[in-house]
Each structure stands twice: as structure tokens, then as C-alpha cells.
Amino acid sequence: VEAFERMMDRADAELPPLKGFILRCGTKGAAFLHLACTICRRAERHVVLLSRKSSVPPIVIPYINRLSDLLFVLARVENKRGGEEQIPW
């Protein structure tokens, strides 16, 4: 989780501040990263539901949450490097 946060900090340094929601589009690489982020978020929701019924190791939810955040930031970086603009939603 800490490694994900360090990677996000490095990636965020080259990005403009996010002022609202953006459309998940752009380069092919960014599209795949956004898709992975979406799948991660879905997995997170399922794990949260599972944790209400069964024992889930405490690291699992923060790990999936930070992973999805990292994938989102990396998609933004991919778009910036590919010359794509962030389109406000």
C-alpha cells in the first residue's frame, strides 16, 4: 500500500491538479488502465460485501483501493504523455 502511494506521488507530480470528474478516455494505454481501475473498484465493492459475512485479511481492502487509485493516476499520466487532454465530465 505504501509503495502504491509513493508511485502515485511521483506520478501526480507531473499532472495538473484534478478539479472535478473526468471522462475515462484517451490513448489506448489509458483506456486499458481505466478499464483495470474500473475492474479494481468493482472487486473492492465485492470484497467489502464479503467482509460483512466472512473474515477478510485487514490489508485486502486498502490494497485494492490504493491499486485502483494508482491505476487511475497512471491512466492520467499515460494521457498526458500521449498528448490527450483531460475532458471534464
Side-chain angles (χ1 to χ4, degrees), residues 3-85:
F4 289 163
E5 289 175 353
R6 285 191 300 274
M7 286 188 280
M8 280 189 290
D9 289 342
R10 285 193 304 272
D12 262 335
E14 66 179 271
L15 294 169
L18 198 56
K19 297 178 180 171
F21 292 106
I22 59 170
L23 291 178
R24 294 180 178 230
C25 58
T27 68
K28 186 175 183 176
F32 281 122
L33 287 162
H34 280 307
L35 177 61
C37 175
T38 299
I39 292 167
C40 239
R41 289 280 187 217
R42 184 183 326 139
E44 181 182 6
R45 289 190 301 274
H46 286 291
V47 171
V48 167
L49 288 173
L50 176 65
S51 73
R52 294 179 183 158
K53 298 176 184 176
S54 298
S55 177
V56 173
I59 190 64
V60 173
I61 295 170
Y63 181 90
I64 294 174
N65 177 270
R66 294 284 84 193
L67 177 58
S68 63
D69 288 344
L70 175 61
L71 291 165
F72 178 75
V73 171
L74 292 176
R76 290 184 63 215
V77 168
E78 171 64 22
N79 275 334
K80 182 174 186 282
R81 291 179 182 172
E84 294 285 335
E85 293 185 37

